[in-house]
Amino acid sequence: MRVASGVDLVVIGADGGPDRAFGGSAQAAEGARLLAEVLPGMCFDAGAAGSRVAVVDPVADANTMLTAVREAAARPGRWLLVCLVGQLVADPRGRRLALVTAGSTADNAYRRGLAWDWVVSAMVHGDQEEALLLVDAVADKDTWAALERGGGEDGAGELLSYSRVPLWGRIGRHAPGRYTPGRRGREAVLPGGPGSFSQALTTVLRQGVPGAPAAVGPHELQPAVGALLDGGAAQDGGAGGPSHQPDAPGVRLLVPPEGGRLLMRNRAAVRGALAGLSLSEELLALLWRESAPTDPPSA
């Protein structure tokens, strides 16, 4: 009998290169570094020891990126987490999406990019019990217009509204131009930079959520993450669908659905439980956590 355990994490922070049109990916590598550093140790029943992590080179081509996703998806496990950080581009008809990869130009960005459909298809056919796609991205005005047209055959928005895997993250509208460090505002939020989903999620995981249980799912973490995003707190968009913020034009939030067995450690709950213990009791509690059974409470 096969025993599925552990987490497969694939982190892709794609640097689109020097073309000013793809300046939205300037800090993608930093966002990927943060996610790869923090996420493995936060998985409740696996931790860093039970996580297999693949961090793709920021200047890798689309085939290398897709291979990393497919190899992770082929390994039996409980969860497959894939993180896409960078700038999105639509095909000429505005129906498909791709993550811009290094060396792209305005004429070939979609053809060279990592197609959204490829990633989702690999995750759907993976050998894990559950999958989650984390997205920290921006889109230029044409790609944003394709997203805004919604579902059906009219626009790429269908990929976000009716994705075959749960989504969690933020997509912002990006105005091409030179990035100026320290400049804040909705147009200045870059994936991996201040106000981005990558930074908000890693901050919440490091600090925890006071008052929440010791093990929390993505849906329970979303309000705290949304409160740190540039543009304000998240509003629920339904079962995994996108959320819109009336006070934040040019921002689309992807809210994870309720349920699921992926649970993250809530460090605030652990600190609260240990606050009243003596030193010896605290050490015993830490040792107990390290030797506790690996099955999550919901298993």
Side-chain angles (χ1 to χ4, degrees), residues 35 38-39 42 83 134 168 196-207 218 221 224-225 228-229 264:
L35 292 170
V38 176
L39 279 173
M42 292 295 103
C83 307
L134 279 68
W168 189 16
S196 69
F197 175 75
S198 298
Q199 290 222 4
L201 175 58
T202 53
T203 296
V204 169
L205 290 176
R206 282 170 168 162
Q207 296 178 352
L221 288 172
V225 173
L228 295 181
L229 294 173
M264 312 299 285

Side-chain angles (χ1 to χ4, degrees), residues 94-107:
R95 296 180 180 178
R96 305 271 76 86
L97 292 173
L99 188 71
V100 176
T101 55
S104 297
T105 67
D107 295 330

